[in-house]
Amino acid sequence: MTRAVVRYDTGDAPPPKVDMSTTLAWFAMPSPVLTASGCAASGRELDQFFDISAMGAMVTKSIMLDARSGRATPRMAETPSGMLNSIGLQGPGIHDFIEHDLAWLRERGVRTVVSIAGSTTQEYEDLAKILRQHEGIDAIEVNISCPNVADRGQVFACRADTASGVVASVRRSTDPSVPVLVKLSPDVTDIATIAVACDRAGADGLTLINTTLGMVIDTDTMRPALAGVTGGLSGPAIRPIAVRCVWQVRQALPDIPILGVGGIRTGRDALEFILAGAHAVSVGTVVFHDPSAPMRVHAELAVELAARGFSRVSDAISYAHRPEDADLSSDAEDDELNPPEWV
Amino acid sequence: MPVQVRGEVVSVRRAGQYFVLTVTAPGVAEITRPGHFAAFAIGDLESSSLILRRAFSIYGVQSRGIYGGTMDVVVADSGPGTHWLTQRRRGDSLDVVAPLGRPFSLPREPVSCVLVGGGYGSAPLFMLAEQLRARGCRVDMLLGAATEEKLFGVLEGKRIASMVTITTEDGSLGEAGRVTDLLPSVMAKANAEVVYGCGPMGMLAAIAGIAGERGAYSQCAVEEAMACGIGVCMTCVLPVIGDDGVTRMVRSCVEGPVFRGERVRWDEVGTIPADTYGAPAGDHR
Ligand SMILES: Cc1cc2nc3c(=O)[nH]c(=O)nc-3n(C[C@H](O)[C@H](O)[C@H](O)COP(=O)(O)OP(=O)(O)OC[C@H]3O[C@@H](n4cnc5c(N)ncnc54)[C@H](O)[C@@H]3O)c2cc1C
Ligand SMILES: Cc1cc2nc3c(=O)[nH]c(=O)nc-3n(C[C@H](O)[C@H](O)[C@H](O)COP(=O)(O)O)c2cc1C
Ligand code: FES
């Protein structure tokens, strides 16, 4: 039989009773599943497929001060279990975003994480100051995987000093009641070093990870497949890299809130991130495959948690870091045995 | 508004070099208009390694019948994703998102229209022809392809259109040459005021040019590589001139795939023209 995909559908079984609420710093959400920046625009399109106000939150496409045309096409190439993209942050600029997108999200009652991007530290600061004058922002995500014009186009995220410079100025300029998440790039020698620097600079949480740089050569034209030559690799192909980053950062920073992202396709994948140390997860590229994926992942995650005896998603956060001998203890399900105490 | 439905394959039948795939798609038929497209997930949502949907013009829809609503698309086997689709069997399930994009606009007056299709690009033109006919428009069709095998819908065209002109590049059927070689004479004979086109980018550029020279109105359905098909990723953009005269990089999946011919900067597709809104100064590769 055919049927329309029913949103929130968990099959015929009643949804398991798992408390799915979580927090990123002091931003509380009823679901640990969010969208990922650049993979859901500003929400209107996905709202056709499911009620986006029911998700943990909407993470908007990274916005810059001014309008940007982005890069030439081709902007994407499919790869095994993933894709490369080289969009170049096409967008309308912060003022248009506030007037049209943020206003719509607010009216629609959607929890919103606004992602910002800049080409100088000053531009990030200006964006933070502009956003400070507006309501309806639950958190700011700072995309520091952008070329720094003052550093020969090196991305801010690849050095501890440039990363923490941006973080400190955004934290200083943002409304103190709004948590600032910093989104890191996996393309660094030691992600924990960058994470620690961002934490010291005042980050309230970290988003792990952005895409990892890749390249495809078109064997027909025998030239790079993307107009931008290289592109960011995303999708299930990068999931193990993302899980590794979450794990390493959780080891280095036992308490920092983490938003895990990279190749999440199912509730089982989301659980992997949570066990590795994520407080919440973003579903990115997989939305292109399945536009209702965030709600599906939410429902599947509840089933996966229930199957493992978790009554709250928060009990599963960092659970993979428990000591070797924890499983031998008779009361292994007691709350106090759950991390972060163990890490 | 598009819907995501789990459809079931009713049939896959060969038509020349193509395959006509019929799939149940409840709720889609009623809201589909000519020029809309559908996006199919390839393989399983939980495990497929091809994670981008494949887009196809909607060739036909039936809102009633023993299967409930169904939809037809024409598939050219041109890679792993399309090959997988051609191998589906009756009863297999398919995840469908449809109808997508902005369809062809129809003239208010019963004017004379020429519909030009290149290869499988003719697929959306038959539904369009029927609706134009229902409005009292004269419909002529111009179908072209590299070879006879790559033409689609010649017989159906003959049934619907006042006149069908065929071109093949190798001369295996109809006139030898390209559709655009014959378009001026077909337009003249039909006294056409509107040209609709669907096919490769180069053909659409030529159609827009020819229509423009003759003071006719053109509507072209483009085919750009798409990652999401629903407007969230910004991969499918091309430079299009807006009502305000400003060029923007617009998403062909939601603001297209149908564009007015004179609005697309055909020669600059694949680039960011220097005067595009938000273009980086001095860098417009
Ligand atoms: C609006 C629209 C309507 C279309 N209508 C039809 C139709 O009616 N019949 C038909 O046979 N084909 C149609 N196409 C083209 C069809 O989508 C591609 O042939 C198909 O995606 C190729 O997938 P593949 O895995 O077989 O090939 P591959 O070449 O392996 O595909 C690799 C990647 O490139 C993308 N891609 C490759 N070729 C194209 C292309 N020509 N257009 C867009 N994306 C491409 C694929 O989606 C995939 O992500 C349409 C495309 C668009 C955008
Ligand atoms: C098309 C596309 C556009 C993206 N745009 C942005 C962006 O604007 N800002 C950002 O921080 N990340 C952006 N990303 C990265 C994603 O948010 C995410 O970190 C990454 O894709 C890994 O997750 P995924 O595998 O679930 O997609 C983009 C990814 C894709 C595929
Ligand atoms: S294909 Fe994603 S925006 Fe058009």
Side-chain angles (χ1 to χ4, degrees), chain A residues 89-111:
Chain A
L89 293 176
Q90 179 171 345
I94 187 75
H95 295 291
D96 191 282
F97 168 81
I98 288 167
E99 191 182 333
H100 297 110
D101 300 316
L102 191 59
W104 180 82
L105 286 161
R106 200 173 160 215
E107 193 185 302
R108 179 73 188 72
V110 180
R111 282 172 294 278

Side-chain angles (χ1 to χ4, degrees), chain A residues 35-39 60-63 83-87 89 115-117 141-145 183 207-212 232-239 261-264 282-286 288, chain B residues 227 232-235:
Chain A
T35 54
S37 181
C39 299
T60 57
K61 168 88 187 158
S62 296
I63 194 80
M83 67 176 280
L84 283 185
N85 87 81
S86 159
I87 309 295
L89 293 176
S115 170
I116 58 172
E141 186 177 88
V142 193
N143 172 6
I144 55 171
S145 298
K183 185 167 183 180
T207 301
L208 306 169
I209 55 174
N210 213 312
T211 53
T212 176
L233 182 63
S234 65
I238 69 164
R239 199 181 72 226
V261 46
I264 294 169
S282 281
V283 179
T285 302
V286 162
F288 306 163
Chain B
V232 298
C233 76
M234 312 299 289
T235 61

Side-chain angles (χ1 to χ4, degrees), chain A residues 329-341:
Chain A
S329 137
S330 58
D331 49 0
E333 304 217 325
D334 279 6
D335 285 339
E336 72 267 20
L337 281 178
N338 286 317
E341 285 91 335

